[in-house]
Amino acid sequence: MDALLTKTKPAASTGSLGDREPGQPRKKISGSQALLRSLVAEEVTTLFGYPGGAIMPVYDALYDFADQLTHILVRHEQGAVHAAQGYARVSGRVGVALATSGPGATNLITGLADALIDSTPIVCITGQVFAHLLGTDAFQEIDVVNTTIPVTKWNVQVTEAKDIGPAVAKAFYIARSGRPGPVLIDITKNAQNELIEESEHEKCENIRTYRPKPVLQLSQVDAAAGLINKAKKPFLLAGQGVLLSGATNELIAFSEKTGIPVACTLLGLGGFPTDHPNYTGFLGMHGNYGPNINTNECDVLIGLGMRFDDRVTGNVTKYARQAKIIHIDIDNAEINKIIKTDVAVHADAKDALNALIDKCKENCHEAWRDSFHRLAEVEHEKVIRHEFNPKGELMMAEVINHLSQFTKGESIIVTDVGQHQMVTSRYYQYKNPGTNVTSGGAGTMGFALPAAMGAKMAMPHKQVVAVIGDGGFQMTMQELGTIMQYKIPVKILILNNNFLGMVRQWQQLFHDKRYSFTEMENPDFVRIASAYGIAGRKVEKREDLKDALKEMLDAKSTYFLEILVGKEDNVFPMVPAGAGVGEVLLEAPKKS
């Protein structure tokens, strides 16, 4: 992709060239200075990184950019990339992470993979050994380009200073355009040191063989509208594409005009208000009962900006076989990849919805929407009523329900991966776009704490709450040091069951309670937080829960709240492995 031709336009001047007298020779700057000037021109304000030998020239240049670039020194490179993800997810801007060569670069790979599958726009910049040492197994030399090809949307190695600016321009264009994703730039140390004439950064606005936004085909829209207008039981599944295209208002308008009920995927949460009468719940393996059951009852199923992930479909041979499938997605590779489509609309979600609003007839589908309400009543009786039982051990569901009520569903909630993630997705009532930050496709434990740091840096005026399990917290808890150093006022809520809860649930239900290496002996988390200067408390009794949550939310600085929850607190509904969505369980299967 390096050889692709680009058309560019000059970026706004940073003022550095305007001081040069006419006829005077241009000042010489280093490749590292050129890199930082390019980042400023791309409107970057915040960097997350960790220095080392191969990236040291960039850090030396960064010393003089303190008034233009805020650098956050993380405690591990994985923390940098996850923080960049959190920053990007809530701001809509490109997140940026810096790392050195070798292990510094390879420590980014988990986050790159996470960002690729979850369509998060980030640019990672790594230092590399001198160009003449490439291929010699020099100290801390890793072939970063070939290592990261599978987990990046694009990557490039730069060995000359003159190529740094164009590489940055292309990287930002690719990262944020079309279906967003991660990009990596690997810069050799000689390129960072080399002197070149200063010049204006030229932003990339076009790559000849890359078409990030498809042209809407009205024939596809007509075909989709034809199916929708004839449908008796249409159902829409909203994915993250709705959020990435900024199509929340269009989705609301479409649903209200057509009367079509809407459910959200894990990453689509926040794309449709949970208090809207047409909202039916959360999709997937631990999603709400109604959306799962009625997926196999609808006659037209509309997948909007979602990829029919296996956690949504269950067994694909049993998935929506009775329905006509309309799939709307900006990435043509996702269409017909998993579920055979009757009508494919290869388009940006916002463009497609605007066209469909004009083409589709007004409708109500009252009886069909009522069927979701009846199924919700079944779920309440079988599941929710028991999870809000005011007796016995504290339940994760009641914690999240109170959190949602206290914040009115308006805080930015960053979840890790596991039972707490599924419970939060079910019970937190997201009202607004950009308030749900989680690791979806990769399921990366350790994501939440650094991602919450990045989210708070991007949205300092918003309440940011990290909801984390005791297992995932211990994977990246060193980032408490970053939070301490920069006084990042995130709220950290640990739901502690002293187990790797999701794995334990499967062991309980499907492996005869053979709890093989899932029980955890945990340290005193509150004392650890205290060692980092972070105030906090531990809740073991239900009567202390509300007061503790309010104390956490009212705190002006960082606050750490650990809540002990039931050790065998399971998450239902649940679609077992190999089952169809219509076979969703509301309780543990009885042993024969």
Side-chain angles (χ1 to χ4, degrees):
M1 211 163 160
D2 295 348
L4 298 181
L5 299 179
T6 62
K7 295 181 180 179
T8 57
K9 64 180 180 181
S13 172
T14 59
S16 58
L17 300 185
D19 299 333
R20 182 171 59 88
E21 293 293 330
Q24 283 187 342
R26 290 185 176 180
K27 187 172 76 172
K28 295 274 189 177
I29 60 172
S30 69
S32 295
Q33 291 172 307
L35 169 67
L36 299 178
R37 289 183 181 212
S38 294
L39 293 178
V40 171
E42 293 289 346
E43 301 174 13
V44 174
T45 60
T46 305
L47 311 170
F48 303 92
Y50 201 94
I55 195 75
M56 201 175 297
V58 171
Y59 273 85
D60 181 67
L62 192 57
Y63 192 85
D64 295 322
F65 277 75
D67 59 335
Q68 294 171 289
L69 294 169
T70 298
H71 180 276
I72 303 300
L73 174 64
V74 297
R75 298 305 185 261
H76 190 283
E77 291 87 358
Q78 186 177 346
V81 67
H82 290 330
Q85 288 178 269
Y87 185 96
R89 290 274 284 275
V90 301
S91 69
R93 303 190 296 274
V94 177
V96 181
L98 299 179
T100 194
S101 64
T106 58
N107 282 340
L108 298 174
I109 288 176
T110 295
L112 288 168
D114 194 288
L116 182 68
I117 199 165
D118 284 354
S119 305
T120 305
I122 60 172
V123 170
C124 291
I125 299 164
T126 54
Q128 183 56 275
V129 301
F130 288 93
H132 73 275
L133 294 176
L134 291 172
T136 68
D137 294 330
F139 177 68
Q140 291 194 332
E141 181 198 358
I142 294 287
D143 185 350
V144 177
V145 170
N146 281 310
T147 301
T148 59
I149 282 174
V151 293
T152 52
K153 187 177 177 183
W154 180 68
N155 67 14
V156 65
Q157 185 173 80
V158 178
T159 60
E160 296 182 70
K162 67 179 178 60
D163 296 326
I164 289 175
V168 170
K170 193 184 293 187
F172 275 79
Y173 176 64
I174 292 171
R176 64 178 154 228
S177 60
R179 180 180 179 177
V183 171
L184 181 136
I185 308 172
D186 190 47
I187 308 176
T188 59
K189 197 166 183 179
N190 59 287
Q192 298 171 48
N193 288 326
E194 185 183 351
L195 296 178
I196 55 173
E197 287 187 345
E198 65 175 348
S199 62
E200 296 284 4
H201 177 74
E202 295 184 341
K203 286 190 176 182
C204 178
E205 62 177 14
N206 184 285
I207 299 176
R208 187 178 62 186
T209 58
Y210 171 53
R211 294 290 177 267
K213 188 173 182 180
V215 177
L216 182 67
Q217 301 296 316
L218 292 181
S219 60
Q220 297 174 350
V221 174
D222 288 339
L227 286 181
I228 292 167
N229 287 333
K230 293 176 183 177
K232 302 299 182 186
K233 297 179 178 180
F235 186 27
L236 190 146
L237 314 181
Q240 190 185 201
V242 173
L243 295 160
L244 294 173
S245 66
T248 294
N249 290 336
E250 287 75 12
L251 177 56
I252 294 170
F254 174 74
S255 177
E256 290 178 346
K257 180 178 181 180
T258 61
I260 295 177
V262 175
C264 289
T265 67
L266 175 62
L267 293 182
L269 291 169
F272 195 83
T274 55
D275 57 355
H276 193 284
N278 289 358
Y279 180 71
T280 65
F282 164 53
L283 283 168
M285 177 177 282
H286 291 286
N288 293 109
Y289 190 55
N292 278 314
I293 292 294
N294 276 350
T295 293
N296 283 0
E297 297 294 329
C298 65
D299 56 3
V300 171
L301 187 66
I302 307 162
L304 176 64
M306 51 86 72
R307 54 191 183 84
F308 289 106
D309 171 75
D310 62 286
R311 292 299 169 107
V312 165
T313 66
N315 187 331
V316 294
T317 66
K318 302 177 181 182
Y319 185 80
R321 297 183 63 82
Q322 80 293 339
K324 297 289 186 183
I325 307 293
I326 300 169
H327 194 178
I328 303 168
D329 206 280
I330 198 168
D331 186 353
N332 200 41
E334 294 294 349
I335 297 173
N336 289 313
K337 185 175 82 173
I338 296 170
I339 299 297
K340 188 179 184 305
T341 302
D342 294 284
V343 175
V345 183
H346 180 211
D348 175 79
K350 192 170 192 172
D351 293 346
L353 284 171
N354 279 322
L356 284 170
I357 289 169
D358 290 338
K359 299 280 185 179
C360 291
K361 299 175 182 177
E362 289 190 20
N363 213 321
C364 180
H365 297 296
E366 185 175 2
W368 170 235
R369 287 190 288 115
D370 284 346
S371 71
F372 286 90
H373 300 150
R374 290 193 296 274
L375 291 167
E377 290 172 1
V378 173
E379 180 180 346
H380 188 276
E381 177 63 25
K382 291 280 190 177
V383 179
I384 298 172
R385 184 171 63 87
H386 302 288
E387 294 195 313
F388 292 168
N389 185 354
K391 298 179 182 179
E393 295 178 304
L394 264 171
M395 304 284 275
M396 290 181 282
E398 59 184 310
V399 175
I400 300 303
N401 184 55
H402 287 311
L403 177 67
S404 183
Q405 290 176 351
F406 289 153
T407 61
K408 300 179 181 179
E410 295 178 344
S411 291
I412 295 171
I413 304 297
V414 186
T415 52
D416 215 80
V417 172
Q419 286 181 316
H420 70 277
Q421 176 191 35
M422 296 296 99
V423 170
T424 304
S425 300
R426 285 173 46 74
Y427 290 108
Y428 194 85
Q429 301 302 312
Y430 296 94
K431 298 296 189 300
N432 303 310
T435 54
N436 168 45
V437 182
T438 194
S439 172
T444 303
M445 291 177 69
F447 171 86
L449 187 62
M453 296 186 324
K456 187 64 177 178
M457 293 295 298
M459 295 289 176
H461 58 289
K462 291 279 190 179
Q463 179 85 270
V464 176
V465 182
V467 182
I468 315 176
D470 50 304
F473 173 64
Q474 292 180 86
M475 289 193 169
T476 53
M477 68 180 184
Q478 70 275 358
E479 297 308 328
L480 291 175
T482 308
I483 291 169
M484 173 186 68
Q485 181 170 347
Y486 296 99
K487 298 178 173 56
I488 305 172
V490 296
K491 309 301 168 59
I492 304 162
L493 175 59
I494 305 297
L495 297 181
N496 182 5
N497 57 12
N498 291 287
F499 263 113
L500 298 176
M502 188 61 80
V503 183
R504 184 214 53 75
Q505 178 169 336
W506 281 69
Q507 290 174 338
Q508 177 186 343
L509 299 180
F510 308 113
H511 296 274
D512 297 319
K513 289 192 175 182
R514 291 161 58 89
Y515 294 156
S516 181
F517 302 103
T518 49
E519 189 164 9
M520 304 188 79
E521 185 174 332
N522 290 319
D524 187 328
F525 291 134
V526 174
R527 288 180 65 189
I528 289 174
S530 177
Y532 285 98
I534 297 171
R537 66 186 283 190
K538 182 177 183 176
V539 170
E540 300 182 58
K541 298 178 181 179
R542 180 172 282 104
E543 53 265 32
D544 297 329
L545 175 60
K546 289 184 180 180
D547 178 66
L549 284 170
K550 288 179 180 178
E551 184 176 324
M552 177 188 76
L553 294 170
D554 290 342
K556 301 301 183 186
S557 57
T558 312
Y559 194 94
F560 187 97
L561 178 59
E562 177 188 5
I563 299 177
L564 295 189
V565 294
K567 295 190 73 169
E568 294 188 305
D569 181 359
N570 288 330
V571 185
F572 288 103
M574 178 181 185
V575 179
V581 291
E583 300 168 297
V584 57
L585 300 175
L586 292 175
E587 57 190 357
K590 292 181 172 56
K591 299 295 182 181
S592 56

